[in-house]
């Protein structure tokens, strides 16, 4: 790719990059162009507008070409920049973590609703199973100043990423991280257990967008033949580790909510509310409670 950004003004470079991404049939070309250009220049939207007439330096133009090439090859903007915002907080990513998605904020919303309803007297104890970047756990700890939490993951790389995010967000003192399969190394009891487990049926992974299938870790995507392997392992473990009255909340794929509720009921958990839908109307956050004896 020739460096056709060299000598252009910031505004001209933004327009040229947006046109290039649009020609590559990328859905959010205008947004991607603004974010990538802003990252190269260290400017937010206001800065891009205020300095619109300033020409790019040779070094800036070269970095923008590199970003453009990676985006046109299907690499997500969040992977190119190494960070993604979730719940209004910045999260660093690694090759072992999913890119946090807005759909997953539905799990955080439902968790906060349930905790506020319960009004437990002691500081809430939270476990995030398959924590990845730590997004769900750290968003909850950010919202609940007296809560303590632990995140588990099979990947040591993911756990290092999550721990670094906890430190960057000033939450390291209230968050611990453990390498294990699901909740196997935890003893509990927990007031809340949350998880965004792998739930894509194995055969469907090759049909996912290039941004997901080539750049998200398959360990965090592959839910086995029918997509429910993780739920079968996780739900009974969570049931054993919940405090009486505690809740389990999991993210669900499209069309999976009812089967997940059946698995929860089979693990002696009580489904006492409908799933919470995401912004697209898909039942996304499924919950159940461990009833007091």
């Amino acid at each position: 790719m020739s460096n056709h950004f060299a000598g252009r003004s910031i505004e001209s470079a933004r327009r040229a990059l947006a046109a290039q991404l649009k020609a590559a049939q990328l859905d959010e070309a205008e947004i991607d162009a603004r974010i990538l250009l802003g990252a190269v220049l260290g400017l937010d939207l206001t800065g891009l507008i205020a300095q619109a007439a300033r020409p790019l330096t040779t070094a800036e133009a070269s970095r923008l070409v590199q970003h453009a090439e990676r985006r046109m090859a299907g690499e997500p903007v969040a992977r190119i920049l190494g960070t993604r915002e979730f719940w209004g907080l910045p999260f660093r990513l690694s090759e072992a973590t999913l890119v946090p998605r807005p759909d997953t904020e539905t799990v955080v919303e439902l968790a906060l609703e349930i905790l506020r309803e319960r009004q437990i007297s002691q500081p809430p104890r939270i476990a995030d199973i398959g924590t990845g970047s730590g997004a769900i756990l750290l968003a909850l700890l950010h919202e609940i100043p007296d809560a303590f939490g632990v995140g588990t993951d099979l990947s040591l790389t993911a756990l290092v990423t999550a721990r670094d995010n906890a430190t960057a967000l000033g939450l390291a003192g209230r968050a611990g991280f453990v390498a294990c399969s699901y909740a196997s190394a935890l003893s509990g009891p927990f007031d809340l257990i949350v998880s965004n487990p792998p739930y894509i049926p194995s055969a469907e992974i090759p049909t996912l967008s290039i941004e997901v299938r080539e750049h998200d870790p398959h360990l965090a995507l592959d839910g086995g033949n029918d997509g429910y392997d993780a739920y079968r392992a996780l739900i009974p473990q969570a049931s054993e580790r919940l405090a009486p009255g505690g809740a389990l909340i999991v993210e669900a794929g499209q069309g999976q909510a009812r089967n997940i509720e059946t698995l929860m009921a089979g693990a002696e958990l009580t489904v006492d509310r409908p799933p919470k839908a995401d912004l697209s109307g898909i039942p996304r956050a499924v919950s159940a409670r461990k009833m007091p004896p």
Side-chain angles (χ1 to χ4, degrees), residues 56-283:
L56 268 64
T57 67
T58 302
E60 289 167 347
S62 295
R63 285 202 300 276
L64 191 58
V65 166
Q66 292 168 5
H67 283 0
E69 288 175 337
R70 291 172 67 180
R71 184 67 192 103
M72 290 176 68
E75 189 171 353
V77 168
R79 293 283 178 205
I80 296 169
L81 303 184
T83 61
R84 176 64 176 258
E85 184 177 287
F86 178 85
W87 200 258
L89 303 170
F91 285 87
R92 191 172 70 77
L93 308 177
S94 66
E95 69 276 8
T97 63
L98 287 175
V99 174
R101 292 172 173 79
D103 295 343
T104 304
E105 294 188 352
T106 313
V107 173
V108 178
E109 292 168 4
L110 181 56
L112 293 173
E113 289 173 17
I114 288 173
L115 284 175
R116 284 165 185 157
E117 286 171 11
R118 284 192 60 202
Q119 296 182 330
I120 54 180
S121 55
Q122 79 276 11
R125 297 154 296 179
I126 302 170
D128 179 13
I129 310 304
T131 193
S133 64
I136 298 176
L137 176 64
L138 298 176
L140 289 169
L141 295 182
H142 182 266
E143 291 292 323
I144 311 165
D146 63 341
F148 291 86
V150 60
T152 73
D153 208 288
L154 272 178
S155 167
L156 291 174
T157 302
L159 291 170
V160 169
T161 305
R163 186 188 63 201
D164 288 348
N165 283 325
T167 300
L169 294 169
L171 298 169
R174 295 193 285 127
F177 298 97
V178 179
C180 66
S181 176
Y182 302 111
S184 60
L186 304 182
S187 57
F190 293 97
D191 302 293
L192 178 68
I193 297 178
V194 292
S195 182
N196 175 18
Y199 56 71
I200 308 296
S202 303
E204 291 183 16
I205 289 178
T207 71
L208 299 174
S209 70
I210 189 172
E211 285 90 346
V212 175
R213 73 173 187 266
E214 296 294 336
H215 297 283
D216 274 338
H218 280 213
L219 185 67
L221 297 172
D222 193 337
N225 287 339
D226 62 358
Y228 294 97
D229 281 3
Y231 299 109
R232 291 190 191 96
L234 163 65
I235 290 170
Q237 290 183 10
S239 179
E240 293 172 0
R241 290 158 175 81
L242 281 171
L248 168 64
I249 306 171
V250 298
E251 179 168 328
Q254 188 166 1
Q256 292 182 321
R258 183 162 295 181
N259 288 339
I260 292 169
E261 289 178 339
T262 299
L263 290 170
M264 288 174 161
E268 300 182 351
L269 296 173
T270 299
V271 178
D272 60 353
R273 68 177 68 216
K276 188 173 184 66
D278 63 19
L279 293 174
S280 301
I282 295 169

